[in-house]
RNA sequence: GCGAAUGUGGCGAAAUUGGUAGACGCGCUGGAUUUAGGUUCCAGUGGGGAAACCCUUGGGAGUUCGAGUCUCCCCAUUCGCACCA
């Protein structure tokens, strides 16, 4: 065995072995228990980033660990290959998105292979291939037939200069990212998927996912947002016709406190009122130009203007003025709200700003209402009781809502209703690099679905977007077609599907990615659902919710039989790195890559400054942030693999933080991981440089060797639990490092010691193999074995090795640590108490004092409570 | 703004069920060996104190024999908010 660890050679050898033996090819076998381990597939953006390395290493550790437990494991890989960045690259470089995407896939596939992941590459797929997206189109048509897919207008960002629709991401401070033109909102026809039809099931079935992180389930539940309230109307007259202004509220108990109503700029009432008011029209136009993003709406200044119209309060009959407000959205609820300034914080501030009346109708015992400042209790549902509300006085929230809803119902002006925060999923994108929506527009027949036999509608791969609209519209060979119904010339739909469609069912396709005549086949029954899904926390809501929805639609079409696609979910944290910059007096901030920055430390290791290596001049620190191009703080995994090898990259990312937490990059930490692998290599090399020890009777070891052997099996037990149950890879690695330190200190050269060391090294090699598969592949061979460590079974704990005669017990006096005593394992509590009280160090704190109580925690500690 | 999370030495972190705070790693200090240097090995390393001992888990209160862990209030940071993926 070579004395020096050479990762490049070691990794090449291990990968060659796995390749020639097809070690990770997954074959359905009903006799074996399956385990489907899936990491979220990457967008082929160019090269791997650290987030990918982290994601796929976590998946690979779980995959290899499950394999060693005898499971039939499937770990596939594919490409989420449609999307906006390919079009941006096309604009920048003049390369068609297809070529850019395929080149990136080729490069990134090579990178993934160099990291040694136990992937079944035979099932690889890319969502931009017609054989994949054909089934997006096919299922979309089935949804259309069932009324799950439908057409209505939706609002988009319109760049008036480029004459194109922009993604939210391409709108910066209300302006187009390329043109700088002020963005307008524009309403266009779009296709929607009725995810709200599944809202109840998507909410209730969260209970079927106990192995999902609590926080993700909470976020999904909030997103779906079930609320029960009252939908009711304010009647009014319009040109002598009787009309109704409908609103929805969860606080019907405050209805007697309504002092005005507010409607969205797009509301018909606003449109009507603006006919005679240029000022109102101007305000409406301003609102219509504004943002469509919820976060902006929530934080922007609330503005309003009176519509000059009044409606009638449905219970009191009083006239209620109507305002047009920029914070009311047409897309939510009814596009109109009742305003109760006394009991809604937003209404309160709006009323103060525009000097509108504030009328208290809820009171809390002992609290005094004042219109000067908002107080939390004004909106308190639990403690509040109706006041100044006539017949409702004294009623609490639930009772009041029921009584008021009943009265509104009697007048035919409203009823209780459940509403959802969840909105239907708009899937139309006015973009080229996506899956074409299979619809043909005919002047005679309207919107005609493409017949199944004509699927897929193939996207031409040679377009080069230039930023002005969708290039598909300029492709007569794509657009011009014949109507499938009447045969007359017609136009093909040029919108493509949201890329979330592609990622909503790829996990099912991996089970049978080779078939051409169906979306999925019977193999999904064997592999699905995914046993372990791993991906970024940033996908906690949208991707996971859409995938759950899509699964339920496929189930209702009898394509699959599972209710939920992902049994267990691990959401990995982001990879962060420090941000360095200089801010010139004029011009833009310049960011420096941390690899090019040198830190200045004082002699205690405390940071005193940082300089750019090339010029030695200081740079400022902008704190820690997610690795991103814009902040130039990314680390290229490729450079890391070339310098230290894949195992070091894998070891560091698993060791630096638990998987669900953010991970801060550290070059020194990487070097530390490499050091450990070198030490491990040397431990084995030194050991195998002498003849292997003969079989040894472990029941008759010296106390020191017994202790060491106990530590070996304690470590095995801990690592088994940390990887298999807790998924805390960092503590598993720390435990093995501790063991390696103990082993390094063992200088005993006896036969027994060499036998203990041999067992320890074998076990360490086995249990580290999921994390660092290449080096352990080589060490396993060096330790005298054949074949691959990856194919070995996980070792069992020798429980006899764990036995000990005495335990160390901590002794506290009044909760403070005062001593340690050794007690026999089987000692009763009384005996432990006696030994503790007799201890010299403890006696100093107890003698002459009144012992009030002694608490004995078996196997752990004794706490002596004394007076004074 | 709403929703979700996080906060522990100089740094990344550990403490799994309310029971020894700081495992493991990095950095730093001193020493040894080797080298042109990176390397490797040994010892030390939360703060204060001569010591006994005291203090210490973002801040403040509380429950408990005992709180990093539970409860309440406050502060800071990060993620998501529907056309980035």
């Amino acid at each position: 065995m070579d004395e020096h660890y050479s990762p490049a050679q070691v990794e090449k050898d291990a990968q060659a072995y796995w390749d020639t033996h097809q070690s990770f090819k997954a074959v359905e076998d009903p006799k074996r228990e399956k385990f489907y381990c899936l990491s979220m597939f990457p967008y082929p953006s160019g090269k791997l980033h650290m987030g990918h390395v982290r994601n796929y290493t976590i998946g690979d550790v779980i995959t290899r660990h499950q394999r060693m437990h005898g499971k039939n494991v499937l770990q596939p890989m594919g490409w989420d290959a449609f999307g906006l960045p390919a079009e941006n690259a096309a604009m920048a470089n003049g390369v068609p998105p297809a070529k850019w995407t395929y080149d990136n896939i080729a490069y990134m596939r090579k990178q993934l292979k160099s990291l040694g992941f136990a992937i079944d590459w035979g099932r690889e797929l890319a969502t931009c291939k017609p054989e994949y997206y054909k089934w997006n189109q096919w299922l979309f048509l089935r949804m259309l037939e069932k009324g799950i897919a439908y057409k209505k207008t939706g609002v988009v960002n319109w760049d008036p200069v480029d004459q194109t629709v922009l993604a939210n991401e391409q709108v910066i401070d209300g302006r187009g990212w390329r043109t700088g033109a002020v963005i307008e909102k524009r309403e266009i026809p779009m296709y929607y998927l009725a995810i709200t039809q599944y809202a109840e099931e998507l909410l209730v079935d969260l209970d079927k996912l106990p192995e999902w992180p609590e926080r993700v389930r909470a976020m999904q539940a909030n997103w779906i947002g079930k609320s029960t309230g009252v939908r009711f109307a304010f009647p009014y007259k319009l040109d002598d016709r009787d009309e109704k202004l409908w609103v929805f509220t969860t606080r019907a108990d405050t209805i007697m406190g309504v002092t005005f109503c507010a409607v969205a700029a797009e509301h018909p009432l606003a449109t009507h009122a603006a006919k005679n008011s240029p000022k109102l029209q101007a305000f409406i136009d301003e609102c219509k130009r504004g943002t469509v993003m919820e976060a902006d709406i929530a934080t922007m200044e609330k503005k309003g203007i009176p519509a000059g119209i009044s409606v009638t309060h449905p219970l009191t009959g009083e006239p209620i003025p109507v305002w047009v407000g920029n914070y009311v959205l047409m897309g939510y609820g009814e596009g109109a709200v009742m305003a109760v300034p006394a009991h809604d914080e937003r209404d309160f501030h709006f009323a103060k700003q525009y000097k509108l009346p504030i009328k208290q109708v809820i009171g809390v015992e002992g609290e005094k209402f004042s219109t000067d400042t908002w107080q939390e209790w004004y909106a308190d549902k639990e403690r509040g009781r109706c006041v100044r509300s006539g017949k409702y006085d004294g009623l609490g929230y639930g009772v009041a809502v029921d009584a008021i809803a009943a009265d509104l119902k009697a007048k035919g002006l409203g009823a209780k209703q459940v509403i959802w925060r969840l909105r239907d999923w708009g899937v139309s994108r006015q973009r080229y690099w996506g899956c074409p929506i299979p619809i043909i527009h005919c002047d005679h027949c309207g919107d005609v679905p493409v017949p199944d036999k004509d699927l897929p509608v193939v996207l031409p791969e040679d377009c080069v977007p230039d930023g002005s609209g969708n290039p598909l519209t300029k492709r007569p060979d794509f657009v011009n077609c014949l109507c499938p119904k009447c045969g007359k010339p017609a136009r093909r739909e040029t919108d493509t599907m949201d890329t979330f469609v592609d990622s909503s069912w790829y996990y099912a396709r991996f089970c049978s990615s080779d078939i051409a005549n169906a979306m999925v086949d019977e193999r999904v029954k064997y592999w699905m659902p995914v046993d372990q899904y791993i991906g970024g926390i940033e996908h906690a809501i949208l991707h996971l919710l859409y995938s759950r929805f899509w699964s339920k639609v496929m189930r209702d079409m009898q394509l699959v039989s599972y209710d939920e696609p992902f049994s267990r979910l691990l959401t990995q944290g982001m990879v962060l790195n420090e941000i360095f910059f200089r801010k010139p007096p004029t011009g833009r901030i310049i960011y420096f890559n941390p690899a090019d920055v040198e830190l200045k430390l004082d002699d205690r290791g405390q940071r005193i400054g940082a300089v750019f290596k090339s010029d030695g001049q200081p740079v400022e620190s902008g704190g820690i942030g997610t690795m991103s191009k814009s902040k130039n703080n990314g680390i290229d995994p490729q450079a890391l693999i070339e310098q230290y090898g894949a195992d070091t990259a894998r070891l560091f990312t698993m060791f630096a933080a638990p998987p669900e937490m953010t991970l801060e990059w550290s070059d020194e930490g990487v070097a530390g991981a490499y050091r450990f692998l070198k030490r491990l290599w040397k431990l084995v090399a030194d050991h195998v440089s002498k003849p292997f020890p003969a079989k040894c009777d472990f029941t008759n070891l010296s106390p020191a060797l017994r202790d060491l052997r106990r530590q070996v099996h304690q470590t095995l037990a801990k690592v088994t639990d940390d990887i298999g149950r807790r998924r805390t890879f960092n503590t598993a690695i720390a435990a093995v490092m501790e063991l390696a330190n103990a082993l390094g200190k063992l200088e005993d050269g006896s036969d027994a010691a060499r036998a203990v060391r041999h067992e320890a090294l074998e076990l360490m090699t086995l249990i580290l193999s999921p994390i660092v598969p290449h080096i352990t592949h080589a060490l396993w061979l060096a330790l005298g074995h054949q074949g691959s460590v990856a194919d070995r079974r996980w070792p069992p704990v020798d429980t006899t090795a764990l036995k000990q005669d005495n335990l160390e017990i901590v002794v506290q006096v009044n909760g403070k640590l005062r001593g340690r005593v050794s007690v026999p394992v089987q000692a009763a509590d009384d005996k432990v108490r006696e030994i503790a009280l007799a201890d010299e160090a403890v006696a100093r704190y107890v003698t002459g004092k009144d012992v009030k109580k002694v608490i004995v925690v078996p196997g752990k500690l004794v706490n002596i409570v004394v007076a004074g």
Side-chain angles (χ1 to χ4, degrees):
Chain A
M1 177 181 183
D2 192 336
E3 213 180 309
H4 295 283
Y5 169 45
S6 315
Q9 190 57 45
V10 164
E11 292 178 5
K12 201 174 129 228
D13 292 348
Q15 287 167 15
Y17 180 95
W18 301 327
D19 266 354
T20 47
H21 291 80
Q22 294 202 44
S23 297
F24 308 118
K25 184 179 163 68
V27 181
E28 297 75 23
D29 179 355
K31 294 191 294 296
R32 289 181 66 201
E33 191 185 345
K34 66 93 183 181
F35 190 94
Y36 186 177
C37 185
L38 183 67
S39 295
M40 290 180 186
F41 65 166
Y43 178 78
S45 54
K47 47 190 183 182
L48 292 186
H49 54 68
M50 278 303 165
H52 292 131
V53 175
R54 189 179 196 194
N55 197 162
Y56 303 133
T57 303
I58 294 168
D60 200 49
V61 172
I62 295 171
T63 290
R64 289 171 177 271
H65 183 253
Q66 289 295 332
R67 275 173 53 85
M68 292 178 80
H69 279 86
K71 302 270 181 67
N72 188 20
V73 182
L74 167 60
Q75 179 174 239
M77 183 52 70
W79 308 95
D80 189 11
F82 276 137
L84 200 51
E87 298 195 23
N88 296 341
M91 281 180 245
N93 311 319
V95 184
K99 180 178 169 18
W100 182 83
T101 302
Y102 291 128
D103 287 352
N104 288 349
I105 287 175
Y107 183 73
M108 290 169 75
R109 184 192 297 116
K110 215 175 105 200
Q111 286 191 298
L112 285 174
K113 288 191 171 175
S114 76
L115 280 156
F117 298 132
I119 288 167
D120 179 358
W121 284 101
R123 295 170 185 259
E124 183 180 353
L125 59 80
T127 58
C128 62
K129 294 263 182 76
E131 61 263 31
Y132 181 83
Y133 66 69
K134 171 182 178 178
W135 303 104
N136 288 356
Q137 296 171 345
W138 181 82
L139 200 78
F140 176 84
L141 294 174
R142 301 291 86 74
M143 290 188 186
L144 214 51
E145 289 161 5
K146 292 210 162 199
I148 297 169
Y150 64 94
K151 193 176 176 182
K152 71 165 185 181
T153 60
V155 182
V156 294
N157 304 305
W158 179 255
D159 185 323
V161 173
D162 266 350
Q163 294 282 298
T164 191
V165 173
L166 295 185
N168 282 342
E169 191 188 52
Q170 298 170 316
V171 180
I172 293 152
D173 297 331
R175 290 169 182 275
W177 66 328
R178 278 155 50 83
T179 61
V182 174
I183 294 307
E184 298 167 11
K185 281 196 263 184
R186 187 172 269 213
E187 285 201 76
I188 58 168
M190 302 207 291
Y191 285 93
Y192 284 80
L193 303 185
I195 190 171
T196 51
Q197 287 181 20
Y198 286 84
E200 183 79 47
E201 197 192 342
L202 287 168
L203 181 65
V204 170
D205 280 3
L206 287 173
D207 290 341
K208 292 184 183 168
L209 301 170
E211 302 280 1
W212 278 36
E214 185 55 45
R215 60 168 164 165
V216 174
R217 286 188 291 156
M219 280 194 256
Q220 292 225 342
N222 287 323
W223 187 261
I224 296 166
K226 182 178 187 172
S227 59
T228 308
V230 178
R231 180 178 180 263
F232 71 96
F234 293 83
Y236 64 99
K237 289 241 185 249
L238 188 67
D239 305 334
D240 287 332
R241 286 195 317 276
D242 284 324
E243 298 279 348
K244 286 173 182 160
L245 174 65
W246 287 96
V247 300
F248 175 86
T249 179
T250 57
R251 289 304 305 270
D253 58 319
T254 66
I255 195 170
M256 304 305 274
V258 172
T259 57
F260 64 101
C261 286
V263 300
E266 294 87 354
H267 196 278
L269 201 57
T271 314
H272 178 83
K275 278 182 194 158
N276 310 314
S277 167
K279 204 176 140 200
L280 181 57
Q281 188 58 53
F283 179 70
I284 288 172
D285 291 344
E286 187 192 324
C287 290
K288 282 185 175 174
R289 275 198 297 275
T291 177
V292 295
M293 289 168 74
E294 198 194 341
D296 295 340
I297 289 158
T299 49
M300 73 189 178
E301 192 195 346
K302 311 289 180 288
K303 286 190 201 164
I305 191 164
I309 291 176
S310 281
V311 294
T312 308
H313 193 289
L315 297 180
T316 67
E318 283 173 36
I320 301 289
V322 176
W323 283 58
V324 178
N326 67 346
Y327 63 96
V328 185
L329 288 189
M330 201 56 215
Y332 293 102
E334 303 290 338
V337 294
M338 71 170 198
V340 184
H343 304 291
D344 179 280
E345 191 171 1
R346 194 176 57 180
D347 294 345
F348 182 87
H349 295 299
F350 192 87
K352 296 270 286 183
Q353 187 181 345
Y354 292 102
K355 304 203 166 35
L356 291 160
I358 297 171
K359 185 183 167 198
Q360 182 197 4
V361 291
I362 299 288
V364 165
E365 189 88 38
E367 299 279 9
K368 199 169 173 330
F369 187 89
S370 154
T371 57
D372 293 344
T373 52
W374 172 260
Q375 292 179 48
E376 287 297 317
W377 70 264
Y378 294 175
D380 192 334
K381 270 197 263 191
E382 262 85 67
R383 295 191 298 152
R385 293 283 175 276
C386 290
V387 297
R388 301 167 63 197
S389 300
K391 62 188 269 206
Y392 309 112
D393 278 359
L395 300 184
Y397 170 73
V399 186
V401 169
D402 287 346
I404 287 164
D407 288 346
L408 287 166
K409 194 166 186 182
K411 292 181 178 234
L413 289 174
K416 281 189 102 167
Q417 201 180 45
V418 170
I419 63 152
W420 304 90
R421 209 187 77 93
L422 183 67
R423 308 201 298 262
D424 279 346
W425 174 14
V427 293
S428 295
R429 298 288 180 272
Q430 299 68 43
R431 264 180 269 295
Y432 156 64
W433 189 234
C435 166
I437 293 177
I439 296 286
I440 288 167
H441 302 289
C442 172
D443 290 337
H444 310 278
C445 309
D447 301 336
V448 182
V450 172
D452 285 359
K453 67 174 173 56
D454 295 338
L455 295 183
V457 176
V458 176
L459 184 74
E461 292 199 346
D462 52 357
C463 289
V464 184
D466 59 8
S468 64
N470 181 349
L472 283 179
T473 59
K474 298 162 210 159
R475 286 285 296 245
D477 59 329
F478 180 80
V479 175
N480 296 334
C481 60
L482 299 177
C483 171
K485 252 190 196 165
C486 68
K488 288 182 186 143
R491 283 158 292 109
R492 202 177 283 288
E493 171 67 53
T494 55
D495 278 4
T496 54
M497 293 185 198
D498 180 5
T499 56
F500 273 121
V501 170
D502 308 322
S503 56
S504 287
W505 68 282
Y506 75 105
Y507 47 88
R509 182 71 184 180
F510 276 133
C511 303
S512 49
S513 59
D514 52 349
I515 52 165
N517 60 351
M519 190 171 187
V520 292
D521 68 15
E522 73 288 346
R523 284 172 285 176
V524 291
K525 277 211 174 64
Y526 180 73
W527 292 114
M528 286 295 294
V530 172
D531 295 276
Q532 177 71 68
Y533 197 35
I534 306 126
I537 182 68
E538 67 276 15
H539 294 291
I541 297 177
L542 290 180
H543 161 62
L544 291 170
L545 193 64
Y546 291 147
S547 295
R548 296 180 59 219
F549 160 67
W550 200 275
S551 291
K552 289 173 192 299
V553 171
M554 285 180 73
R555 177 204 59 196
D556 289 349
M557 292 177 183
Q558 271 92 50
L559 292 164
V560 298
S561 51
Y562 51 86
D563 290 325
E564 289 288 339
F566 313 122
S567 302
R568 187 169 186 171
L569 175 70
L570 190 154
T571 48
Q572 58 157 3
M574 306 282 236
V575 182
L576 312 181
N577 202 359
E578 188 156 8
I579 299 160
F580 293 102
F581 68 94
R582 277 185 201 150
K583 198 173 183 179
T586 54
R588 294 173 56 161
I589 293 178
I590 305 160
Y591 290 96
F592 296 88
N593 193 285
D596 304 324
V597 171
E598 195 181 333
L599 300 180
K600 298 285 179 201
L601 305 175
D602 68 11
D603 58 9
R604 285 175 66 181
Q606 289 205 45
R607 169 95 66 91
I608 47 176
V611 297
F612 183 44
K613 282 180 191 164
S614 305
D615 61 13
Q617 296 302 303
V619 293
E620 285 182 68
S621 170
I624 306 282
T626 54
M627 285 189 178
S628 74
K629 261 188 195 150
S630 62
K631 297 282 162 66
N632 189 16
N633 65 338
I635 295 288
D636 183 5
Q638 201 56 41
L640 188 67
I641 295 166
E642 278 158 24
Q643 189 180 355
Y644 293 108
D647 280 340
T648 294
R650 297 170 59 121
L651 182 64
F652 173 72
T653 50
M654 292 300 94
F655 179 62
E660 312 235 49
M661 308 282 265
T662 55
L663 184 155
E664 281 182 40
W665 195 255
S666 156
D667 286 331
E668 292 77 17
V670 173
Y674 183 60
R675 254 196 304 273
F676 171 70
L677 292 181
K678 278 196 296 190
R679 263 210 312 277
L680 183 68
W681 183 274
K682 193 161 183 310
L683 270 179
V684 174
D686 286 351
H687 176 70
V688 302
S689 66
K690 301 185 192 88
F692 285 176
K695 266 224 175 305
C696 173
D697 176 13
F698 288 134
T699 57
N700 207 9
L701 295 171
S702 69
L705 287 177
R706 262 183 65 196
D707 285 348
L708 181 61
R709 192 156 179 271
R710 184 181 327 111
Q711 189 184 351
V712 170
H713 283 271
Q714 277 171 345
T715 304
L716 169 59
K718 176 164 175 58
V719 170
T720 306
D721 188 48
D722 282 355
I723 297 182
R725 180 182 64 88
R726 297 177 66 210
R727 308 271 139 101
T728 52
F729 312 109
N730 54 327
T731 54
I733 294 165
V736 178
M737 285 176 168
E738 259 184 282
L739 180 59
N741 290 343
L743 221 50
K745 288 199 173 78
L746 178 71
E747 278 168 15
D748 188 341
S750 68
D751 284 352
R754 286 176 46 228
V756 169
R757 189 188 287 107
H758 194 84
E759 185 200 22
L761 291 172
E762 283 190 340
L763 290 180
M764 281 168 67
T765 302
L766 285 164
I767 64 183
L768 278 177
S769 70
I771 296 165
V772 283
H774 307 92
I775 187 173
T776 49
H777 180 91
L779 296 180
W780 190 247
L781 298 175
L783 285 165
H785 297 278
Q786 304 290 314
S788 174
V789 69
D791 296 326
R792 300 300 286 224
R793 293 302 285 267
W794 193 259
V797 175
D798 179 356
T799 49
T800 62
L802 299 179
K803 291 220 173 78
Q804 34 187 336
D805 301 332
N806 290 291
L807 284 176
E808 186 179 77
I809 298 283
V810 164
V811 187
Q812 298 179 333
V813 178
N814 286 348
K816 283 197 197 293
L817 176 69
R818 297 302 182 191
R820 291 160 207 273
V821 293
S822 180
V823 301
V825 168
Q826 67 279 42
D829 285 4
D830 282 353
K831 181 73 184 163
V832 173
R833 172 194 162 120
E834 196 182 302
I835 297 170
L837 282 164
D839 185 69
E840 202 180 311
V842 174
R844 285 174 45 206
Y845 295 90
V846 176
T847 310
K849 294 200 174 141
D850 183 14
V851 175
K852 299 185 110 175
K853 201 181 196 180
V854 178
I855 290 143
V856 179
V857 182
K860 285 224 167 114
L861 62 69
V862 175
N863 188 15
I864 301 160
V865 185
V866 298

